[in-house]
Structures are given as C-alpha cells and as structure tokens.
Amino acid sequence: MEKTFPVFAASFAIIYELAVYFNWALFTYHPKINEWQFLAQPAKNGPPMYWYGWLVTSLLGAIAVSLVSYPIVRRASTQFWLGWVVPIVVGVIFLYLFRSFFLH
C-alpha cells in the first residue's frame, strides 16, 4: 500500500483545488449560529465555512482514486511527477487563483 501514497497525495491536491474552485463542499458549517448543513450552502448569519467540506470531499475522492489505481501502481514504480511536479503545479495554480489576496 505504500506505493499508493504518492497517488493519494497527488489526487488529494488536485481534488482539493477543484473543490475550492468549484465549491464542492460536502457540508457547510455556519459558526455564528453553530449549524451544519449538507453540501455547499449560502451564508445565513455571518460567513459560512466550507473548508471542512472541501477537506472531506478531497479525502473521499483521493481514497477512491487510490483504490482504483492500486492494481496498476503495485506493479509499477512510483513516478517522479507524482511526488514533485503535481504539488508544485497545484501550488502555482493556487497562487494564481488567490492572486488578488497577495497582490493588492
């Protein structure tokens, strides 16, 4: 199973980026009223928190990708791009998406 960790890490990063961009939150937390709701919901009383939902969405997606890729990965060696290139590209894309936060 240790050969699937790079697949899990790379797929988690990619799915997390998609979840943030398209707001694929599995659930939403409204901290001001202490309420949890299923899927991404609009603000009620104060800003909602989607981060927990994005993490769970990414976790479940990465587990599914790892399970599907396990028969292939166990016979092949782990590729270099999974460990280095994918995280760097995801980081650059996040910097681009949040450029307005960093550059006023």
Side-chain angles (χ1 to χ4, degrees), residues 15-73:
I15 295 168
Y16 182 78
E17 185 169 359
L18 293 171
V20 170
Y21 187 74
F22 293 110
N23 198 15
W24 293 337
L26 194 58
F27 50 85
T28 304
Y29 176 58
H30 302 275
K32 196 166 184 180
I33 57 176
N34 195 25
E35 184 177 300
W36 295 85
Q37 290 185 310
F38 188 65
L39 299 176
Q41 302 294 328
K44 285 187 168 186
N45 188 7
M49 293 178 64
Y50 300 113
W51 183 69
Y52 300 116
W54 295 336
L55 284 179
V56 173
T57 301
S58 304
L59 176 69
L60 295 176
I63 288 171
V65 170
S66 296
L67 290 174
V68 168
S69 68
Y70 180 69
I72 299 165
V73 175

